[in-house]
Amino acid sequence: MSTNSFPKLHNATWPGVVGKGPDSEPLIPIDTMLELTAAAEVDGVKFDGVDVGLFDPSIDINDPKEGAKKLADKVAAHGLVIGSLVAPIWGGPVLGSKEDRAVFVDMVRKACQYGQYLKEIGIRPYGVIRIDSASSPETWSKDPAGSTKLIAETFREACDVAAEYGEKLAAEGEICWGGMHSWKTMIDTLAAVDRPNMGFQADMSHTLLYMLGYNSPEDRILPADFDWSDRAALEEGLKKMTAALRPWTIDFHVAQNDGTVHGTGSHDKTGRHCLATDPNGKLDIAKDAGYWLRDENGELTKAFKHICWDGCMFPNEVMYKQQTWNDILAALIKVRDQHGWSE
C-alpha cells in the first residue's frame, strides 16, 4: 500500500450545479455534495478536501466574509479542507463590452477576497482561482489576433487584482471558451498575458479533445481517422501536448473522456466527462495523469499540492449513488500511488 501523502485528493462541488437547472435536472445542493464526498472511503482512505465553485445557490460571493465563514464551517464539519475556487465570471464575457470586462475583473476580485477569508480561517491551505474567457470560440474567430489581445489585457488586469491577495489564476482549457479552445490558442493566450501568477488548469477530459482538434481542426494532434486501439500513438500525442502545456500547469483535474463532446442545460458542449469506471473511457487515468504530473525525464513536478476529480453533467441518479464517489476516489488513489510523494 502506498504511503504517499501528496498530492491531496479533492472532489469538486460544482458538478451539482454545472449543466443543471431549468433546462436540465434540479441542482444538487453543496451540502449534499459535501455529504457524498465525506462519506466516500476506499480501504480506509478518504477525500482530503473539495474544490468549490463560488456560484452555488447557497454561496453568496457578494458577502465574502460571512459567506466564507459559513462555507468553512460546513466543510470543516465534514473533516475536509478547501483548495481551488472557481470565480463566477460568466456575467462578464471578455469579448463583450467594456462594462462586461469590468464585471469579469470585479468577479475575480470578489473570488480572491473570498479565498483570502478562507485562508485566514485556516480551511484553505492551497489552491488557485479558476477562470476562463466566458466567450465563445465563434466570437473569438471573428478577429483572432484582436480577440487574443483583448483576452490577454483583461486577464492581466485580473492577475494584478489577484496579486493583491497573493492568488494565482488558472485558465481552464476547454474547447467551449474562445482563446482557450485549442492547445495552441491556449498557449498563445497564456504567453500574451505574461504574468507570473497566471497559469493553466489541465483537465484530462477537456485536453483529450485538444488532441482531436474540436473547434480547431488545424491544431489537432491525432489524425482524423485515429484508431483508439493504437495506444502507442495516443501516448505520443499525450507527450506532445503535455510537453507544451505542462510548464504552465498550476492546477489539475483528474477525469475520464470517451472522445466525444457533450453539453446539458445552458452549458456549451465540451469534453464529455465519463465515470472513472466507464468502459468507453479512452484514457488510462492513472498512467495518463503521469504525463501531467511528471516532466519529460519522468521526475515529479510537484507543481501543485492537490488534484481534483472533475465530472460534470452526470445524471442526478448517478451522482446520488455513493458508489459513484467511492469509484472516483479509488481512481484518484491510484493516481497518487503512481505519481505521489510525501513531505
Side-chain angles (χ1 to χ4, degrees):
M1 184 175 174
S2 172
T3 57
N4 292 334
S5 54
F6 286 93
K8 298 301 184 184
L9 309 181
H10 282 220
N11 196 17
T13 64
W14 56 81
V17 179
V18 174
K20 306 296 181 184
D23 300 322
S24 182
E25 295 183 299
L27 302 179
I28 300 175
I30 192 170
D31 302 79
T32 303
M33 294 298 294
L34 289 173
E35 289 167 8
L36 290 164
T37 301
E41 186 171 345
V42 178
D43 297 330
V45 179
K46 300 175 74 69
F47 279 104
D48 298 298
V50 288
D51 285 6
V52 179
L54 297 176
F55 45 80
D56 184 275
S58 64
I59 292 177
D60 182 6
I61 197 171
N62 294 306
D63 186 15
K65 192 168 187 178
E66 281 304 306
K69 185 179 184 307
K70 289 178 184 175
L71 178 62
D73 287 345
K74 283 184 180 183
V75 174
H78 290 287
L80 301 166
V81 301
I82 296 171
S84 296
L85 305 173
V86 181
I89 37 73
W90 303 285
V94 175
L95 299 181
S97 65
K98 183 179 179 181
E99 291 73 25
D100 288 333
R101 288 185 285 280
V103 169
F104 181 98
V105 174
D106 188 48
M107 286 297 107
V108 171
R109 181 182 297 279
K110 288 178 178 179
C112 289
Q113 289 174 337
Y114 209 107
Q116 185 180 50
Y117 286 126
L118 292 172
K119 284 180 179 176
E120 290 174 358
I121 291 168
I123 195 76
R124 185 171 172 247
Y126 42 67
V128 301
I129 306 291
R130 178 250 187 239
I131 61 170
D132 57 60
S133 66
S135 303
S136 71
E138 290 75 20
T139 303
W140 177 89
S141 66
K142 293 173 184 175
D143 178 13
S147 296
T148 296
K149 182 180 178 183
L150 199 53
I151 292 170
E153 288 174 355
T154 309
F155 280 15
R156 275 198 295 275
E157 190 176 346
C159 282
D160 292 344
V161 167
E164 298 172 19
Y165 298 90
E167 291 284 355
K168 291 183 177 182
L169 302 182
E172 183 176 20
E174 285 196 61
I175 61 165
C176 60
W177 303 125
M180 305 167 61
H181 57 283
S182 88
W183 64 282
K184 286 188 176 180
T185 54
M186 186 74 256
I187 291 171
D188 289 344
T189 297
L190 291 167
V193 175
D194 191 27
R195 283 287 190 274
N197 62 331
M198 179 84 235
F200 178 64
Q201 182 187 74
D203 177 296
M204 292 176 67
S205 173
H206 300 318
T207 52
L208 180 66
L209 293 196
Y210 275 179
M211 296 169 64
L212 298 174
Y214 277 97
N215 288 346
S216 187
E218 64 274 18
D219 293 337
R220 72 177 302 144
I221 293 173
L222 299 173
D225 59 350
F226 180 65
D227 179 356
W228 286 106
S229 67
D230 189 350
R231 175 70 194 178
L234 177 60
E235 291 188 4
E236 284 304 308
L238 285 167
K239 287 177 185 175
K240 179 177 180 177
M241 178 180 63
T242 57
L245 285 166
R246 190 191 309 111
W248 299 96
T249 303
I250 59 174
D251 204 56
F252 185 60
H253 287 171
V254 177
Q256 180 59 286
N257 187 297
D258 65 3
T260 66
V261 296
H262 180 61
T264 61
S266 61
H267 198 287
D268 288 334
K269 287 183 178 179
T270 186
R272 178 186 283 274
H273 282 122
C274 293
L275 290 174
T277 54
D278 193 320
N280 295 314
K282 305 304 185 188
L283 294 165
D284 179 335
I285 295 175
K287 182 174 183 179
D288 295 343
Y291 291 112
W292 294 101
L293 300 174
R294 295 179 182 272
D295 65 19
E296 62 277 8
N297 299 315
E299 298 296 322
L300 292 170
T301 67
K302 301 182 182 179
F304 28 84
K305 296 278 190 180
H306 80 292
I307 56 177
C308 180
W309 172 268
D310 190 355
C312 293
M313 294 181 272
F314 290 134
N316 283 1
E317 178 190 2
V318 171
M319 294 186 65
Y320 276 112
K321 289 178 181 173
Q322 189 61 55
Q323 190 59 44
T324 296
W325 306 103
N326 288 6
D327 292 340
I328 286 165
L329 176 59
L332 284 171
I333 291 170
K334 286 180 182 177
V335 173
R336 183 164 68 184
D337 285 348
Q338 291 190 31
H339 311 293
W341 68 93
S342 292
E343 292 182 2

